[in-house]
Amino acid sequence: MGAMGVHRIDTALRWLYGFETEDDEEGQDAGAVQKSGADEDWGVEQEKRGRKRKRPSSAAPCKRPRAATPSPSDSASASSPRPLTSWDPVPKRPRSGAQGNSSNNNNRPSAGPVAVPAETVAAAAAAAEEEGTRRRRRRKKAGWSCHQCNTAKRTMVKCGRCREKIYCTFCVKKRYRDLSEAEVRAECPCCRGICSCIRCIAEVKQSEPKSPSLRKCNSSSRSAKRKKKADPAGVESTSVCNGVAPTEANDHSSLISSNGINNPSVKSDKVDTLGVAAQEEGGAETKVKYARYLLHYLMPCLKELNKDQMAEIETEAKNLGLKLSQMNVEQADCWNDERVFCDNCRTSIFDLHRSCPNCSYELCIACCKELREEDLQGGTCREELVSYPNRGFDYMHGGDPLPELINCEETDLSSCQPKSKKWVASRGIIRCPPTELGGCGEHVLKLRQIFPKDWLNKLDLNASWLNKKLEPSNIVSGECPKCTKNENSRYAATRENSTDNCIYCPKSDNGEADDLKHFQSHWVKGEPVIVQGVLQKMPDLSWEPPHMWSAVHGSSTSSDMKNVKTIDCLSWCEVEICTQDFFNGYYEGRMYENQWPEMLKLKDWPTSNHFEELLPSHGAKYINSLPFQPYTNLKSGSLSVSALLPDDILKIDMGPKSYIAYGCTQELGRGDSVTKLHCDISDAVNVLMHTAKVVPSEEQQDAIQNLKARHEAQDEKDCCGNFAINRNDKCHKSCVGENHASSLNYIDDEEGGALWDIFRREDAEKLKMYLRKHSKEFRHIYCSPVEKIFNPVHDETFYLTEEHKRKLKEEHGIEPWTFVQKLGEAVFIPAGCPHQVRNLKSCTKIAIDFVSPENVKECLKLTQEFRKLPKNHRAKEDKLEITAQTTRPNRVSG
């Protein structure tokens, strides 16, 4: 008696994913078991793809399809097959040696189930159970879990296009909010090319070149087709990369190998690096218009630079006793991938400079001029050190300092230059500085040039000739009629007799043809601009910090991934914290033992020079979605000075840069999550990508108020640096106000994420006067009072509370534009505008820098301010080569 096959269906394993579960083997006939519902048995299909059995070398007989043996009671309904029960017998196929009797056996009527020994039944049941367990494991590997989160405990939606990927409804609602379940069932996010899971992002990163130069080479080796934009005022590129034409959704022949995608939106996700010929409406006419606009603002700066260089050449000719026409400046050894700095002021050198033939000490012409005038300011010749002692945790919350630190020396300040070593010019001739100042002190500094002879002078002459030849550009200026009517504007200041109290605040891609011109009318006057709805152009990407972290680091468990370095906003010191704890605090908040909110900031993660490499989809989509693309597209912006530089030179990293920080709605006064007052040397645009609100408990609110009272008492006695001062003394009360005033009503906006204060350029000097006068009222590292000021705006040691802003207006009559940045809004900050930011919620911001032609003059002015700072000043750590960007030949797009 032959053995009998056993088929068991465990109904407890049927998952509520919206599909039927069938446990048939590979060779089951479609007619043996009726399929229910519109979906096929895709789980078995995946099992077939996942395992291929080897056939034995001998010709073994094939299995025949199994059929349920009907019972006598069911003989009348044999035409409609019933589902298999747990113990339906399956006849075994006759052996090859009994071929002759096979027909007789087949024609013999069935007599019903045949009795089976109990041992055989038990063994068959155990084997079936084990096979069912193995089959369930294989099915999970084959795709029964969610493609996004690998979870198999939720209701699932299967893709009807690839018939492989499934997504749980939770991920569809949380991460793909613009797609309904029906749309996912028709075409999943992976097929649409918008999947943000770790595996898909890893495949994209592996398929893309690591460096921008390689990426450019790959793109240029293929024919690329691009569509013209409908509006030149900052709409994202619709170009099709790598020459792949978009196809219909049901065409599976041209799937992109990197992610199994065939979606035009993904092909346009790369930053356009092929020029601007077809990107702006109007083509060549638009290019000419932009060229005139650039020439109008760059030519005055070019003339000023040329004038300074010619003055240095004339001085050199006079010292050598030669005529100007006889001067022949020696060429410097400099490569395109090399940045040249002044060894005294750390300013970038773009062309003419002096160099020591012995030790290669290099000096810019601005320092040369100051040396001859015996007024060397650039760099102050050596470093300045300022020490902020740690007086203890209790001191930071209003207590007394540690006893051993009360009378200690708190600062270690070096003089401008040693009295014993004086560096001066002798009869206009400049020698290399002494060894104490970084030189050798032996040789005369020789004049050198980076560009060819008279190159800058000829460029100046050609620009002047071209300016006369061309018609004047349509330069925008004057009062904006739309904003005076409060259309597309936001009220941000209450200055008397002022027309700039409102900020231009358009919606992203509103379709108006004069958006760019309207933007320029405000930008040329140094006014900030707010653009609404930028995040709506990036609906397919998740900007939540944990998801971005996972996209970068994946499932790595290395030690450097477990912890992250952050800045504690109370002590302003770097602290290391567990990565998971940091992200938990982003959503739930953290506090110290005394219940004071703990504010942490994760700055420049991932590092800006790796942002697009580690997050290619996020970086490319972000840049292409920014408004006013001629300014903000770092690769092809026609009005972005940095984007027009030649490709073969070393360029400064302009971003994107990310800022992830905790936030608190209430103004704490100490330990606020802030970016302190500073002034950027270039223009910038900052987009609020994600927020999370943390609400403190009532118990914590009471603790905060009690600690604030201690802070105020400490401020009264610390403002003059005397710990024994009587806090009731009227002569000292005048310098202390209510630094921790209650928050204003406008910060209660549910959509608001960050409070911005941006000052006008013309108010910067009055702002500096106020900060110098009231510097002792501000605290910095370890909550110690500010001791040393180099430049109040560039030091980044001050944050003006609501009370300080009130006093500033009373004393000097100035106030900033104050507004709340909402989720998805982009804030444009002009170069030279001092500004500060306070996070009202936990925030994730992404920002880039750019150089607009309107603000090049301001950038050059700021460069001169930065060069006068000490060598080790924080503002000198990452400087822009503004002069080089102004003078280098621009890339010409055919």
Side-chain angles (χ1 to χ4, degrees):
M1 185 172 59
M4 301 171 60
V6 179
H7 184 89
R8 176 184 294 274
I9 298 179
D10 191 351
T11 57
L13 295 177
R14 295 181 181 271
W15 53 320
L16 301 177
Y17 290 177
F19 307 112
E20 288 293 324
T21 304
E22 302 193 279
D23 291 354
D24 303 324
E25 291 188 8
E26 296 177 14
Q28 178 180 347
D29 188 14
V33 179
Q34 177 139 5
K35 298 178 181 178
S36 60
D39 295 318
E40 299 178 7
D41 190 359
W42 55 277
V44 177
E45 214 173 282
Q46 288 297 312
E47 186 179 344
K48 290 180 184 179
R49 298 182 182 181
R51 59 187 174 102
K52 293 184 179 179
R53 295 182 179 176
K54 278 190 175 181
R55 298 183 64 85
S57 56
S58 60
C62 299
K63 293 182 180 179
R64 73 168 184 172
R66 298 180 301 168
T69 305
S71 61
S73 60
D74 295 336
S75 60
S77 59
S79 58
S80 58
R82 62 176 176 83
L84 291 175
T85 61
S86 300
W87 296 102
D88 283 335
V90 180
K92 186 178 180 181
R93 181 170 178 168
R95 297 183 180 182
S96 58
Q99 294 282 348
N101 299 329
S102 62
S103 60
N104 297 333
N105 294 336
N106 293 338
N107 294 333
R108 188 167 49 192
S110 175
V114 181
V116 182
E119 296 82 359
T120 305
V121 172
E129 185 68 27
E130 183 179 356
E131 177 64 21
T133 303
R134 288 197 300 267
R135 187 180 298 117
R136 287 191 294 272
R137 291 175 180 172
R138 286 194 298 268
R139 282 174 178 166
K140 185 173 182 179
K141 292 181 180 178
W144 285 67
S145 59
C146 175
H147 177 76
Q148 182 80 31
C149 63
N150 293 327
T151 302
K153 298 180 180 179
R154 303 185 179 105
T155 305
M156 299 292 193
V157 180
K158 185 187 82 169
C159 176
R161 175 179 173 181
C162 65
R163 311 189 66 80
E164 296 180 1
K165 305 292 189 299
I166 61 173
Y167 289 79
C168 65
T169 54
F170 177 82
C171 288
V172 172
K173 295 177 181 178
K174 184 71 175 177
R175 304 191 180 187
Y176 307 102
R177 298 177 181 177
D178 286 359
L179 296 179
S180 63
E181 294 184 18
E183 291 173 328
V184 173
R185 186 174 289 108
E187 189 176 13
C188 68
C190 188
C191 294
R192 296 173 184 266
I194 60 176
C195 183
S196 59
C197 74
I198 298 174
R199 287 168 291 178
C200 292
I201 292 178
E203 290 176 0
V204 172
K205 286 195 287 186
Q206 291 176 1
S207 63
E208 290 196 349
K210 296 296 181 184
S211 64
S213 59
L214 290 177
R215 194 177 299 120
K216 183 190 174 188
C217 292
N218 289 347
S219 62
S220 61
S221 62
R222 305 176 185 177
S223 60
K225 299 179 181 179
R226 294 181 294 164
K227 297 180 180 180
K228 291 184 178 180
K229 293 183 176 181
D231 183 14
V235 297
E236 70 175 280
S237 173
T238 57
S239 58
V240 180
C241 295
N242 297 337
V244 182
T247 58
E248 296 296 331
N250 58 0
D251 183 8
H252 299 271
S253 61
S254 60
L255 296 180
I256 299 178
S257 60
S258 64
N259 201 12
I261 324 167
N262 185 21
N263 186 7
S265 65
V266 181
K267 299 169 193 148
S268 63
D269 242 11
K270 297 182 179 179
V271 179
D272 187 5
T273 60
L274 301 177
V276 295
Q279 286 204 16
E280 282 83 18
E281 187 178 8
E285 182 180 352
T286 302
K287 288 175 59 178
V288 172
K289 181 180 70 174
Y290 287 165
R292 294 173 184 167
Y293 195 83
L294 284 164
L295 186 62
H296 175 83
Y297 288 104
L298 296 184
M299 194 173 67
C301 302
L302 179 63
K303 287 185 175 297
E304 189 67 26
L305 294 174
N306 185 41
K307 179 182 176 181
D308 294 339
Q309 291 207 158
M310 292 303 299
E312 186 67 23
I313 294 176
E314 290 175 359
T315 301
E316 180 73 2
K318 182 179 179 180
N319 292 336
L320 298 177
L322 300 175
K323 296 181 179 179
L324 190 60
S325 58
Q326 296 175 327
M327 277 296 301
N328 187 18
V329 181
E330 186 176 344
Q331 200 76 20
D333 293 331
C334 182
W335 303 92
N336 285 346
D337 59 349
E338 179 185 2
R339 292 180 64 186
V340 183
F341 289 92
C342 174
D343 287 310
N344 180 59
C345 68
R346 296 292 190 269
T347 303
S348 297
I349 295 174
F350 72 96
D351 188 16
L352 202 66
H353 63 284
R354 292 188 177 273
S355 178
C356 177
N358 180 44
C359 66
S360 300
Y361 185 95
E362 292 172 319
L363 194 68
C364 67
I365 59 175
C367 288
C368 293
K369 181 181 179 181
E370 292 175 353
L371 270 174
R372 295 191 187 97
E373 297 173 352
E374 298 184 2
D375 185 26
L376 184 61
Q377 300 181 29
T380 64
C381 302
R382 58 179 300 175
E383 297 180 351
E384 296 274 2
L385 301 177
V386 181
S387 175
Y388 288 92
N390 185 357
R391 295 181 170 93
F393 181 79
D394 189 55
Y395 174 81
M396 291 190 287
H397 288 289
D400 294 330
L402 297 177
E404 62 269 20
L405 293 177
I406 293 180
N407 297 319
C408 75
E409 184 67 26
E410 299 178 9
T411 59
D412 180 16
L413 305 177
S414 301
S415 59
C416 178
Q417 54 178 319
K419 296 180 180 180
S420 59
K421 295 293 182 181
K422 187 79 171 180
W423 186 24
V424 294
S426 177
R427 298 180 181 180
I429 299 176
I430 301 176
R431 303 186 70 87
C432 191
T435 55
E436 292 85 354
L437 299 180
C440 63
E442 297 180 0
H443 295 75
V444 175
L445 299 182
K446 301 294 184 181
L447 197 62
R448 298 286 188 270
Q449 62 184 10
I450 297 177
F451 290 126
K453 181 181 179 181
D454 293 334
W455 187 88
L456 192 63
N457 190 34
K458 292 177 182 178
L459 182 63
D460 183 15
L461 295 174
N462 291 337
S464 300
W465 175 85
L466 191 62
N467 187 48
K468 295 178 181 179
K469 190 80 172 178
L470 296 175
E471 297 179 3
S473 177
N474 185 17
I475 307 301
V476 292
S477 61
E479 189 174 306
C480 177
K482 290 188 177 181
C483 293
T484 54
K485 299 178 181 179
N486 290 329
E487 297 178 5
N488 294 329
S489 63
R490 185 174 299 179
Y491 194 69
T494 58
R495 307 182 191 96
E496 297 180 359
N497 302 322
S498 177
T499 60
D500 58 359
N501 288 330
C502 293
I503 296 179
Y504 177 45
C505 186
K507 293 183 179 179
S508 181
D509 288 344
N510 58 12
E512 295 185 11
D514 61 344
D515 272 355
L516 184 62
K517 186 176 179 180
H518 194 172
F519 166 79
Q520 291 172 333
S521 67
H522 293 274
W523 193 248
V524 73
K525 294 184 290 185
E527 298 177 6
V529 173
I530 306 171
V531 181
Q532 309 172 61
V534 175
L535 193 58
Q536 296 176 3
K537 300 172 67 175
M538 298 172 272
D540 305 329
L541 295 175
S542 173
W543 295 93
E544 294 197 31
H547 296 167
M548 295 172 64
W549 181 273
S550 299
V552 172
H553 302 293
S555 57
S556 174
T557 58
S558 59
S559 58
D560 56 340
M561 296 297 104
K562 292 181 179 179
N563 297 326
V564 63
K565 293 181 179 180
T566 64
I567 298 175
D568 186 340
C569 295
L570 179 64
S571 64
W572 281 103
C573 294
E574 189 178 82
V575 296
E576 190 170 291
I577 183 177
C578 174
T579 302
Q580 188 61 45
D581 292 341
F582 173 79
F583 289 128
N584 289 340
Y586 180 91
Y587 292 98
E588 302 170 3
R590 291 174 61 88
M591 60 183 178
Y592 300 103
E593 294 180 357
N594 58 3
Q595 299 190 33
W596 187 259
E598 181 181 6
M599 298 287 115
L600 300 178
K601 297 198 308 179
L602 182 62
K603 188 177 180 181
D604 281 352
W605 174 88
T607 55
S608 52
N609 55 332
H610 293 119
F611 191 98
E612 291 186 79
E613 181 180 339
L614 297 176
L615 292 169
S617 299
H618 291 74
K621 192 69 175 178
Y622 173 82
I623 293 179
N624 288 334
S625 300
L626 289 174
F628 311 122
Q629 284 280 293
Y631 288 90
T632 57
N633 195 308
L634 300 179
K635 299 295 194 310
S636 62
S638 301
L639 294 175
S640 176
V641 177
S642 59
L644 298 174
L645 293 177
D647 294 329
D648 60 344
I649 68 169
L650 184 65
K651 298 183 181 180
I652 305 298
D653 177 39
M654 310 292 283
K657 305 173 185 177
S658 64
Y659 302 88
I660 303 175
Y662 297 177
C664 180
T665 303
Q666 182 182 5
E667 185 179 78
L668 302 174
R670 290 190 191 182
D672 283 295
S673 177
V674 300
T675 298
K676 293 191 176 183
L677 186 72
H678 68 287
C679 185
D680 294 325
I681 198 172
S682 65
D683 306 306
V685 55
N686 183 301
V687 185
L688 182 58
M689 311 301 296
H690 183 267
T691 62
K693 187 174 183 179
V694 178
V695 181
S697 63
E698 293 184 2
E699 181 183 358
Q700 187 180 12
Q701 289 280 16
D702 294 338
I704 292 174
Q705 296 302 323
N706 294 333
L707 288 171
K708 276 188 173 184
R710 294 185 64 187
H711 296 169
E712 291 178 3
Q714 186 185 51
D715 289 339
E716 291 184 5
K717 67 180 182 181
D718 276 10
C719 66
C720 296
N722 185 355
F723 291 101
I725 189 174
N726 181 3
R727 69 182 60 181
N728 296 319
D729 192 347
K730 296 182 180 179
C731 67
H732 298 290
K733 278 190 171 183
S734 60
C735 65
V736 179
E738 298 177 0
N739 291 345
H740 315 307
S742 59
S743 301
L744 300 180
N745 295 330
Y746 50 68
I747 66 175
D748 295 330
D749 190 347
E750 287 297 325
E751 297 181 4
L755 178 66
W756 285 72
D757 295 303
I758 304 179
F759 290 86
R760 298 184 297 187
R761 291 171 183 161
E762 56 267 30
D763 295 335
E765 290 303 320
K766 292 182 179 180
L767 176 61
K768 293 177 183 178
M769 292 173 56
Y770 176 86
L771 293 175
R772 292 184 186 277
K773 177 181 177 182
H774 298 274
S775 62
K776 296 295 183 181
E777 302 173 29
F778 294 86
R779 298 180 179 272
H780 193 38
I781 300 175
Y782 297 125
C783 291
S784 298
V786 175
E787 295 291 342
K788 178 69 175 179
I789 302 174
F790 301 103
N791 187 307
V793 171
H794 301 319
D795 290 348
E796 201 168 342
T797 57
F798 301 98
Y799 179 84
L800 283 84
T801 60
E802 297 297 333
E803 178 61 21
H804 273 296
K805 287 187 288 185
R806 183 188 64 79
K807 292 168 63 177
L808 174 65
K809 187 171 183 179
E810 288 180 356
E811 295 181 16
H812 297 279
I814 63 173
E815 67 171 304
W817 289 287
T818 301
F819 59 90
V820 173
Q821 182 185 21
K822 300 180 181 180
L823 183 64
E825 290 186 341
V827 178
F828 284 76
I829 310 102
C833 288
H835 58 280
Q836 60 181 22
V837 188
R838 182 168 71 87
N839 297 316
L840 308 176
K841 299 176 182 176
S842 294
C843 294
T844 299
K845 307 187 191 81
I846 310 292
I848 65 166
D849 300 322
F850 63 98
V851 180
S852 61
E854 297 94 334
N855 294 330
V856 166
K857 184 177 180 181
E858 187 66 26
C859 293
L860 292 175
K861 176 185 174 183
L862 288 170
T863 301
Q864 294 304 311
E865 293 184 9
F866 275 74
R867 63 175 292 273
K868 297 177 182 179
L869 298 173
K871 288 183 178 181
N872 62 328
H873 198 279
R874 57 154 298 278
K876 285 194 170 186
E877 293 176 359
D878 184 20
K879 293 184 59 60
L880 288 173
E881 294 177 298
I882 301 299
T883 51
Q885 296 190 27
T886 306
T887 58
R888 287 194 181 272
N890 292 338
R891 182 181 68 240
V892 179
S893 303

